[in-house]
Amino acid sequence: MRRYINFKLIILAALLTAGLTLLSGCGKATAAPAFGALHVAGTNLVGANNQPAVLHGMSTHGLQWFGQFANSGAFADLKKRGANVIRLAMYTDENGYLSNPGLKEKVFSAADAALAQDLYVIIDWHILHDNNPRTHQQEAVNFFSEAARRYGSNPGVLYEICNEPNGSISWSGDVKPYALAVIPAIRASAPQAVILVGSTTWSQDVDLAAQDPLPFSNIMYTCHFYAGTHGKWLQDKIDAARNRGAAIFISEWGTSAADGNGGVFLDSASQWLNFLAARNLSWCNWSLCDKAESSAALNPGANPNGGWTEGNLSPSGKFVFAHF
Ligand code: DCB
């Protein structure tokens, strides 16, 4: 009899605990993004309670061209489909921020729209044709100082300081010195924020970065892949970096080839997503726009404000949205 009562008590306690956990989870969802303030523990991204945090979402295309898709309606549609992060690609070159500094206001208003819906948001200094991040290091320091002053205490904001360094530059001689200048500018106002750092060869050389890591906490190294171009050899570089203790974030990947077109290569993309899932790696897909290229998630003419039908989704968009 006594045993039986104890058993009943244990069940009651378990039910109560489960109920309370559920309730507190609901409360949090409306007050802050899903995992609360993020930080890096070992090679893992974790939330405020040290729970594993896995972010899945979209990167915008260049905001100077497709900024109309970075708005509340579009973000609400993505959230409804399961996304929890938005990456804002602020190109520096190609009529981006350096020649059009007003683009910054687009970044801030889009970030505000994402944060208002409890989405995480990545502010991406999208270097590409300006291959060496050191070329515009001072502009980056100024931009990120301002962004961090604006969002410093917000648990939803991640800072990505250089999209894809490329060309004949090195991690230790170029990208690392750049990061050593930019990161303290962010940390001055956002001491805990997670900061994402690219590497050479369009953010593929994460293994080289891991051999000469940055001396800061809450840093992740970005690795970018395109399913039609990058295979197991790039996965091996990710594992090599992680084995050295580097935390990896896939802030950009596409179902297409590396030029943003061709394919789509959905078998390879599935294989990649399995690889990422097995390691709890977070990702953003390229890209949220309706450009006539295969990596675009939306067919030409899709409403920039969301509410997309199946017919508005490209083959890439259908595949990616089903994997949030
Ligand atoms: C990256 C860039 C991104 C680029 C995509 C696809 O570049 F981060 O900005 O997006 O991957 O190439 C493309 C757009 C096009 C646009 C073009 C230039 O989809 O609509 O016209 O940017 O702004 C990569 C990634 C990997 C490699 C090369 C590039 N790779 N790249 O491995 O060779 O040269 O742009």
Side-chain angles (χ1 to χ4, degrees):
M1 181 63 179
R2 211 186 149 131
R3 260 216 173 139
Y4 178 64
I5 290 173
N6 279 345
F7 182 68
K8 279 215 299 208
L9 275 175
I10 288 167
I11 297 281
L12 191 69
L15 281 174
L16 264 173
T17 316
L20 283 175
T21 313
L22 253 175
L23 272 176
S24 69
C26 291
K28 248 177 228 134
T30 57
F35 307 103
L38 301 170
H39 59 282
V40 178
T43 57
N44 302 315
L45 182 64
V46 298
N49 304 322
N50 295 316
Q51 72 277 41
V54 184
L55 309 189
H56 291 162
M58 292 303 295
S59 173
T60 68
H61 197 287
L63 291 172
Q64 78 276 36
W65 297 311
F66 293 98
Q68 69 273 26
F69 288 91
N71 69 71
S72 301
F75 297 163
D77 194 322
L78 294 172
K79 183 178 176 176
K80 189 187 71 193
R81 296 170 193 269
N84 54 12
V85 60
I86 304 288
R87 176 188 191 235
L88 302 174
M90 189 186 76
Y91 271 68
T92 43
D93 197 10
E94 298 184 72
N95 297 319
Y97 173 74
L98 295 171
S99 59
N100 174 18
L103 201 54
K104 175 175 77 180
E105 301 310 326
K106 176 73 214 178
V107 173
F108 293 157
S109 66
D112 293 347
L115 293 168
Q117 303 189 46
D118 297 334
L119 292 161
Y120 290 97
V121 67
I122 300 173
I123 296 179
D124 162 34
W125 182 259
H126 199 85
I127 69 161
L128 186 59
H129 294 171
D130 44 341
N131 55 317
N132 188 342
R134 296 189 87 180
T135 309
H136 299 292
Q137 177 171 304
Q138 192 54 49
E139 292 92 331
V141 165
N142 295 345
F143 171 78
F144 280 111
S145 301
E146 182 178 351
R149 276 199 302 275
R150 191 179 163 108
Y151 295 112
S153 57
N154 196 309
V157 179
L158 297 84
Y159 302 86
E160 181 172 358
I161 65 172
C162 50
N163 166 48
E164 292 186 353
N166 63 86
S168 28
I169 61 173
S170 71
W171 166 261
S172 297
D174 296 290
V175 187
K176 185 177 181 184
Y178 167 81
L180 290 173
V182 174
I183 291 170
I186 298 174
R187 287 279 188 255
S189 307
Q192 308 294 341
V194 171
I195 297 176
L196 310 181
V197 185
S199 56
T200 44
T201 321
W202 299 281
S203 293
Q204 292 161 28
D205 294 334
V206 284
D207 52 336
L208 302 184
Q211 286 170 25
D212 183 12
L214 291 162
F216 306 107
S217 56
N218 294 331
I219 297 293
M220 303 183 83
Y221 301 89
T222 62
C223 187
H224 292 177
F225 71 87
Y226 281 81
T229 302
H230 305 114
K232 184 176 181 303
W233 56 270
L234 187 52
Q235 298 176 353
D236 290 345
K237 282 161 83 76
I238 291 174
D239 280 338
R242 283 165 53 80
N243 288 339
R244 280 191 174 261
I248 303 296
F249 194 114
I250 312 295
S251 57
E252 185 185 305
W253 71 276
T255 57
S256 65
D259 63 357
N261 217 341
V264 288
F265 301 90
L266 300 185
D267 288 343
S268 167
S270 291
Q271 204 277 330
W272 266 101
L273 290 186
N274 289 338
F275 172 88
L276 304 184
R279 291 158 183 75
N280 271 346
L281 295 181
S282 294
W283 53 256
C284 293
N285 175 261
W286 186 264
S287 72
L288 179 64
C289 76
D290 70 342
K291 185 170 177 173
E293 64 179 5
S294 64
S295 58
L298 303 170
N299 285 327
N303 187 339
N305 300 311
W308 303 305
T309 63
E310 277 295 288
N312 290 138
L313 307 188
S314 70
S316 185
K318 283 187 185 128
F319 176 85
V320 172
F321 291 4
H323 285 84
F324 286 152

